[in-house]
Amino acid sequence: MTNLLEVRNLTRSFGGLIAVNDVSFSLRGGRITALIGPNGAGKTTCFNLVAGALRTTSGQVFFEGRAIENRRPEDVCRMGIARTFQIVRPMRDMTVLENAMVGAFSWTRSVNDARDIAYDSLESVGLANKAHAKTDQLTLPDRKMLEMAKALSTRPKLLLLDEVMAGLRPTEAAGVVRVLQKLTENGLTILLVEHVMRIVMEVASTVVVLHHGAKIAEGSPADVVADSKVLESYLGAGFHA
Ligand SMILES: Nc1ncnc2c1ncn2[C@@H]1O[C@H](COP(=O)(O)OP(=O)(O)OP(=O)(O)O)[C@@H](O)[C@H]1O
Ligand SMILES: [Mg+2]
């Protein structure tokens, strides 16, 4: 079986800094994989390289067996990869529904099709009842869910989520976790950047750990939290899973 996504020896430097250094990993379909590591480890840069938002210095990215590195973000999106941004930024003068429709115009020109899928996306993240609200009326958890809905409206096979649960209370994050689990049950594959280890342990089938741009560990959540390199560089000596 081919992997949905395969990242091979991915490298990106900024001047003298190697932000992503020879990173390889692959994603199997219908699973949640977590990408973790300390601040500045290269997680967002990795997302940008996969999504076509940044050019690679070297290395390859295969999606469904096709090389996609250095393609334009809109082409990568049309192939089936969607992403959310670490900083949420809804379009303020538009309603929740209109925001969720934007993603649909990557694959249709029909306003009716866009509206239909936008409702579906809002439904799947639990925001359908706020479809006609203005985005400035949304709470932070709802704004995060709207980012996911916008991404889902592009009809992705792979969703890249950059700290979607940051700033949320545990009960709010638990709601997001349920949404993610439901999405994967319906066949979506998710690559998740997440700092809260409790959440990583709960949702991820595989964890990839970056440190100073390099992959230092990969495995099941239980294996990764027991790894001495991960404990030293990221979780700290006092960490207990
Ligand atoms: N456009 C850029 N130009 C120069 N340096 C950059 C750029 N983008 C990222 N970097 C640097 O690359 C390194 C990796 O950054 P990145 O944002 O990928 O880390 P991260 O793992 O997402 O961190 P965080 O957990 O804080 O979000 C950092 O040292 C950062 O300062
Ligand atoms: Mg980041």
Side-chain angles (χ1 to χ4, degrees):
M1 188 185 110
T2 39
N3 292 306
L4 185 68
L5 184 84
E6 190 169 340
V7 168
R8 264 191 228 159
N9 307 109
L10 194 62
T11 300
R12 168 70 202 213
S13 348
F14 296 109
L17 174 88
I18 308 178
V20 173
N21 192 353
D22 201 26
V23 169
S24 301
F25 63 87
S26 51
L27 303 185
R28 279 194 290 160
R31 303 289 186 91
I32 301 179
T33 301
L35 185 61
I36 69 169
N39 293 122
K43 306 178 298 292
T44 298
T45 304
C46 242
F47 271 22
N48 285 332
L49 293 168
V50 170
L54 267 181
R55 293 190 70 79
T56 59
T57 299
S58 59
Q60 292 163 303
V61 182
F62 295 92
F63 183 65
E64 296 186 307
R66 295 159 77 189
I68 61 157
E69 70 277 2
N70 301 325
R71 299 223 190 177
R72 294 182 306 166
E74 52 273 33
D75 293 338
V76 174
C77 173
R78 264 193 291 274
M79 285 177 192
I81 301 182
R83 54 94 57 94
T84 63
F85 291 88
Q86 196 165 352
I87 298 169
V88 294
R89 37 188 177 186
M91 285 170 249
R92 289 188 168 274
D93 294 332
M94 290 163 53
T95 64
V96 167
L97 180 65
E98 287 163 346
N99 265 273
M101 285 168 71
V102 170
F105 293 114
S106 65
W107 57 269
T108 182
R109 290 183 181 183
S110 154
V111 173
N112 285 337
D113 285 353
R115 197 182 290 113
D116 286 349
I117 193 143
Y119 264 118
D120 287 350
S121 307
L122 292 173
E123 189 85 53
S124 61
V125 303
L127 265 187
N129 60 340
K130 294 177 184 153
H132 299 292
K134 282 276 161 54
T135 56
D136 52 12
Q137 296 166 328
L138 295 182
T139 59
L140 179 67
D142 284 348
R143 288 206 303 277
K144 301 257 184 182
M145 289 304 198
L146 178 55
E147 284 301 301
M148 283 198 8
K150 281 161 67 177
L152 290 172
S153 292
T154 68
R155 301 201 297 195
K157 294 171 188 161
L158 169 62
L159 184 59
L160 310 174
L161 297 176
D162 201 349
E163 299 198 29
V164 272
M165 287 171 260
L168 302 189
R169 296 191 192 99
T171 51
E172 296 165 342
V176 180
V177 162
R178 279 194 296 278
V179 167
L180 299 188
Q181 286 168 333
K182 194 85 180 285
L183 289 170
T184 54
E185 279 162 24
N186 291 327
L188 189 69
T189 304
I190 295 177
L191 181 61
L192 177 77
V193 169
E194 175 54 54
H195 279 291
V196 179
M197 279 311 289
R198 190 178 37 75
I199 295 173
V200 170
M201 301 289 292
E202 188 180 345
V203 301
S205 54
T206 305
V207 183
V208 174
V209 190
L210 297 184
H211 185 47
H212 294 314
K215 185 175 90 173
I216 59 165
E218 178 176 11
S220 70
D223 286 348
V224 155
V225 297
D227 186 301
S228 58
K229 290 191 297 299
V230 179
L231 286 167
E232 270 166 43
S233 63
Y234 183 43
L235 297 173
F239 180 82
H240 298 289

